[in-house]
């Protein structure tokens, strides 16, 4: 869709230029990375490549920051995502992107009115008594304006004050172009062995694409808001705005205006007689409940999306902006609960086991070093709040990162569906709680919650054990009858023993299966040796020689047995 009064041809030129610019940026920096990180170390100049690595990474991140701010669209979302990937990206890179905010100049109000009227099929004055021309928020995908419904409409929907969220004109075309460019970059990366061995880039890209497309579908957001409201119904700690469905489409969303005290505005909270420390103590378990108990959670709980709403003598947390929601399967939720229990117990081995269980670590991952790293981490920093961590000598953190950072980034990982959204939600939760309470201790928030989860897990285990015991008892109870029936059938001659010829054929099939296994083993060792020989000649030759016995068995074993 063309933006404003742009001619379609002009818009097409702009989107093609945008696509090419993203690809040029990616291609150039991938080539630079290949040169310094793969080629130079291969020819013995690894020390030279490592010397300027930190500066190079900062420069790349700084340039991407500039590109994202200039282009907007999904590029800002990509930058925010990269800044959270401390597990696979070095801190020199992520630190440069931490301050990237989804704030862009607003679209002229006249364009917003024109788009909203076209979507709703009526002049806005038929539904809205007034709309503020200055937006309360302007982001890369859309912007929001406060408004008042007409008296007649207000009677029907049940509220007067609303917020109208409207997509930026032309954003669908921009998102399509950005996704096409990012998919191509993902395909490039999937051909790099060092990347492909650790992350399924195309799958990760598709998950990002799905999340991005859901964010610009306001029907999806409205449905998510109602589902979230149904989940927290009866929870007096949480509030959700109502949806005005009559004035909501895929590109326009009208919600009750629930603006109150921004959750991190500690001065306003105190002025309202609300202790920020109490807010932190409620907010953390509210988020834990969403992720670990209900399995449907707000994945973007930054301070702008949560209000503290006074009601009578108390208050509640009111969530807004349901464009980015996450869902956790029952299996993943069980694994996350066990992970949380292990973290609360400072048990490094149990933590690694739970991470492997939820599918983050591939089965081939060697986790001995990771267990050692977590054990040392818990021994040194476990139980500390953020205020205490700030007093720790930065050199101690740096030494720990130097020792274990590369090891963690080298682990083969695969990210379950929605796992990145869980990481994002928990990271933002921690940040908000620390802003409310400088002495906030994440362990203190986790431990009582984890204790309840331990009780729940014990209940599940007891039920599983009882079920298995009942099944075993049933089998044992039926055993005498089955044995007696077998003896009776043998006495009556009703048990037919296998034909010797059938036994011989089965034996031949078993030998044939072993030959197939030998052939596969031969091919694997031979090809593996040929690949490895480039980097390690001795080990490659050893693998190739090791393939010989398997090959001989595959070829000659049948000569003597298959007749």
């Amino acid at each position: 869709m063309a933006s404003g009064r742009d001619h379609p041809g002009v818009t097409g030129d702009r989107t093609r230029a945008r696509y090419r610019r993203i690809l040029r940026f990616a291609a150039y920096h991938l080539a630079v990375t290949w040169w310094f990180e793969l080629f130079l170390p291969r020819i013995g100049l690894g020390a030279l490549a490592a010397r300027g690595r930190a500066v190079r990474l900062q420069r790349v991140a700084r340039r991407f920051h500039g590109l994202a701010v200039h282009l907007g669209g999904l590029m800002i979302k990509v930058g925010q995502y990269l800044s959270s990937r401390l597990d696979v990206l070095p801190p020199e890179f992520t630190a440069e992107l931490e301050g990237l905010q989804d704030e862009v100049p607003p679209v002229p109000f006249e364009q917003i009115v024109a788009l909203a009227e076209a979507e709703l099929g009526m002049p806005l004055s038929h539904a809205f008594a007034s709309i503020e021309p200055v937006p309360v928020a302007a982001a890369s995908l859309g912007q929001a304006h406060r408004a008042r419904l007409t008296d007649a409409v207000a009677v029907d929907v049940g509220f007067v004050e609303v917020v109208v969220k409207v997509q930026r004109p032309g954003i669908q075309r921009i998102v399509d172009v950005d996704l096409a460019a990012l998919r191509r970059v993902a395909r490039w990366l999937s051909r790099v062995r060092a990347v492909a061995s650790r992350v399924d880039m195309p799958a990760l890209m598709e998950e990002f694409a799905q999340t991005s497309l859901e964010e610009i579908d306001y029907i999806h957001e409205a449905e998510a808001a109602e589902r979230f409201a149904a989940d927290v119904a009866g929870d007096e700690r949480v509030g959700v705005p109502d949806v005005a469905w009559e004035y909501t489409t895929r590109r326009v969303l009208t919600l009750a205006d629930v603006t109150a005290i921004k959750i991190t505005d500690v001065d306003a909270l105190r002025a309202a007689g609300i202790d920020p420390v109490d807010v932190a103590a409620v907010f953390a378990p509210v988020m834990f409940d969403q992720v670990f108990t209900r399995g449907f959670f707000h994945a973007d709980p930054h301070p702008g999306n949560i209000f503290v709403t006074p009601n009578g003598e108390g208050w509640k947390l009111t969530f807004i902006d349901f464009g980015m929601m996450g869902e956790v399967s029952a299996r993943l939720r069980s694994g996350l609960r066990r992970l949380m229990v292990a973290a609360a117990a400072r048990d490094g081995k149990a933590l690694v086991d739970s991470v492997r269980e939820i599918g983050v670590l591939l089965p081939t991952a060697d986790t001995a070093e990771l267990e050692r790293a977590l054990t040392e981490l818990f021994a040194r920093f476990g139980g500390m709040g953020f205020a205490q961590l700030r007093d720790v000598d930065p050199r101690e953190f740096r030494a720990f990162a130097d020792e274990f950072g590369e090891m963690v980034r080298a682990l083969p990982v695969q990210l379950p569906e929605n796992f990145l959204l869980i990481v994002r939600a928990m990271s933002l939760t921690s940040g908000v709680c620390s802003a409310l309470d400088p002495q906030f201790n994440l362990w203190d928030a986790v431990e009582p919650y984890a204790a309840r989860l331990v009780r729940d897990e014990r209940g599940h285990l007891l039920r599983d054990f009882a079920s298995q015991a009942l099944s075993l008892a049933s089998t044992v109870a039926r055993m005498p009858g089955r044995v007696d029936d077998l003896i009776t059938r043998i006495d009556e001659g009703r048990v037919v023993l296998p034909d010797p010829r059938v036994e011989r054929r089965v034996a031949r099939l078993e030998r044939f299966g072993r030959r197939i296994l030998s052939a596969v083993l031969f091919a694997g060792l031979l090809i593996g040796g040929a690949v490895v020989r480039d980097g390690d000649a001795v080990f490659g030759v050893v693998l190739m020689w090791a393939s010989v016995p398997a090959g001989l068995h595959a070829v000659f074993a049948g000569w003597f047995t298959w007749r």
Side-chain angles (χ1 to χ4, degrees):
M1 177 175 291
S3 172
R5 296 186 177 87
D6 287 346
H7 187 277
V10 174
T11 303
D13 291 341
R14 288 178 179 174
T15 55
R16 282 192 293 272
R18 180 185 184 91
Y19 179 80
R20 288 194 297 266
R21 184 168 181 183
I22 295 171
L23 291 185
R24 279 199 306 270
F25 181 92
Y28 172 78
H29 288 97
L30 284 174
V32 170
T33 301
W34 172 83
W35 175 265
F36 283 101
E37 303 301 329
L38 296 176
F39 181 74
L40 291 184
R42 179 164 291 185
I43 62 174
L45 297 177
L48 176 65
R51 194 174 303 159
R53 180 175 293 128
V55 175
R56 282 198 310 275
L57 289 169
Q58 289 172 344
R59 188 184 302 123
V60 173
R62 203 173 297 124
R63 287 175 178 170
F64 183 83
H65 187 290
L67 177 76
V69 170
H70 178 75
L71 293 180
L74 290 186
M75 292 300 102
I76 290 178
K77 299 291 183 185
V78 172
Q80 291 175 331
Y81 162 70
L82 293 175
S83 70
S84 69
R85 293 313 312 272
L86 296 172
D87 55 333
V88 294
L89 293 172
E92 296 88 351
F93 189 91
T94 56
E96 288 290 331
L97 298 176
E98 282 179 355
L100 188 60
Q101 298 295 319
D102 191 1
E103 296 175 357
V104 298
V107 174
F109 184 59
E110 295 76 16
Q111 293 184 26
I112 292 296
V113 170
L115 189 151
E117 289 185 339
E119 280 291 304
L120 297 176
M122 68 175 75
L124 293 188
S125 58
H126 287 187
F128 303 96
S130 63
I131 301 179
E132 295 183 7
V134 178
V136 293
S140 58
L141 303 182
Q143 63 190 51
H145 295 258
R146 283 200 178 94
R148 287 179 58 87
L149 296 172
T150 63
D151 292 341
V153 171
V155 170
D156 289 337
V157 300
F159 44 87
V160 177
E161 306 289 339
V162 296
V163 171
V164 183
K165 187 174 176 181
V166 183
Q167 275 186 20
R168 295 179 74 90
I171 193 62
Q172 181 68 61
R173 182 183 294 273
I174 290 173
V175 168
D176 289 343
V177 169
D178 289 356
L179 288 177
L182 292 170
R183 284 188 175 105
R184 189 164 186 179
V185 174
R187 288 196 296 271
W188 291 347
L189 289 171
S190 67
R191 296 190 183 101
V192 179
R193 185 166 51 189
V195 175
S197 64
R198 299 183 58 228
V199 180
D200 186 345
M201 282 303 302
L204 193 62
M205 179 62 229
E206 289 312 309
E207 184 173 339
F208 177 78
Q210 180 183 349
T211 302
S212 302
L213 291 172
E214 287 175 353
E215 278 202 72
I216 59 172
D217 182 352
Y218 290 165
I219 293 292
H220 181 273
E221 180 173 345
E223 290 172 343
E226 290 208 332
R227 177 179 172 185
F228 185 81
D231 275 1
V232 299
D235 188 341
E236 297 180 353
R237 304 171 299 173
V238 183
V240 183
D242 292 323
V243 179
W245 279 104
E246 298 86 344
Y247 307 101
T248 293
T249 70
R250 200 177 70 82
R251 303 175 68 196
V252 176
L253 174 62
T254 305
L255 298 166
D257 186 358
V258 291
T259 305
I261 304 170
K262 185 177 179 180
I263 190 170
T264 51
D265 189 345
V266 294
D267 292 334
L269 289 172
R270 292 193 180 102
I274 300 170
D275 189 344
V277 174
D278 292 341
V279 176
V282 170
F283 178 57
V286 162
M287 289 303 301
F288 292 156
D289 276 340
Q290 292 176 35
V291 175
F292 299 107
T293 302
R294 299 188 182 100
F296 186 65
F297 63 95
H298 197 300
D300 196 22
H302 65 73
N305 283 342
I306 306 154
F307 296 115
V308 177
T309 306
N311 53 0
E313 297 183 359
W315 51 270
K316 63 181 178 181
L317 297 170
T318 302
F319 288 77
I320 63 171
D321 194 348
F322 302 92
M324 188 184 295
M325 303 295 291
E327 190 164 4
V328 190
S329 67
R331 178 179 175 276
L332 180 56
R333 192 155 65 246
S334 173
L336 287 171
R337 284 201 299 264
R338 295 185 184 186
L339 184 149
M340 195 178 198
V341 170
R346 279 69 150 178
D347 187 338
K349 185 178 186 308
L351 189 62
V352 171
D353 290 342
S354 61
V355 169
R356 192 191 292 277
E357 177 187 345
I358 63 179
V360 174
L361 288 174
L362 294 176
T364 57
D366 182 2
T367 56
E369 281 297 296
L370 180 59
E371 290 179 15
R372 184 171 72 86
L374 288 171
T375 300
E376 291 196 21
L377 176 69
F378 286 136
R380 177 64 188 91
F381 305 115
M384 288 187 178
F386 287 96
Q388 295 169 293
L389 289 173
R390 281 196 291 268
D391 295 334
V392 176
D393 189 339
R395 288 174 296 184
E396 198 166 345
F397 288 124
R398 196 174 301 118
F400 187 88
D402 289 344
E403 184 175 359
F404 296 109
E406 286 301 320
M407 176 271 298
V408 172
R409 283 192 286 273
L411 286 170
V413 297
Q414 60 183 14
L415 299 170
E417 184 180 2
N418 273 321
F419 193 79
L420 289 175
L421 296 180
I422 296 171
V423 173
R424 175 182 174 82
M426 292 297 97
S427 174
L428 289 170
T429 299
S430 177
V432 168
C433 289
S434 298
L436 290 166
D437 178 10
Q439 302 299 319
F440 177 77
N441 189 324
L442 186 62
W443 303 110
D444 290 344
V446 167
E447 282 178 334
Y449 199 87
R452 178 160 61 87
L453 293 176
V454 169
R455 291 194 296 271
D456 292 345
E457 286 298 318
R458 285 174 179 166
H460 293 322
L461 289 173
L462 286 173
R463 283 193 294 273
D464 290 346
F465 178 78
S467 175
Q468 292 173 9
L470 185 61
S471 175
L472 180 62
S474 175
T475 301
V476 171
R478 292 195 302 270
M479 186 66 72
R482 291 189 174 187
V483 171
D484 182 65
D485 180 60
L486 175 62
I487 293 172
T488 300
R489 291 171 64 191
I490 291 173
D491 288 342
E492 294 175 355
R494 289 189 288 121
V495 176
V496 181
L497 297 176
D499 191 309
R501 289 175 297 179
V502 175
E503 290 184 345
R504 285 196 297 273
R505 287 185 178 275
V506 170
R508 288 173 182 170
L509 288 172
E510 288 176 350
R511 289 193 293 271
F512 185 59
R514 286 195 289 270
R515 290 176 62 206
I516 291 176
L517 181 60
S518 294
V520 172
L521 187 60
F522 164 72
L525 290 172
L526 183 64
I527 294 171
V531 172
V532 169
R533 190 173 59 175
D534 289 340
D536 188 335
V538 175
F539 185 51
V541 171
V542 169
L543 286 178
M544 295 175 75
W545 273 106
S547 71
V548 172
L552 291 174
H553 179 265
V555 174
F556 296 112
W559 288 16
F560 306 105
T561 59
W562 192 268
R563 297 180 188 279

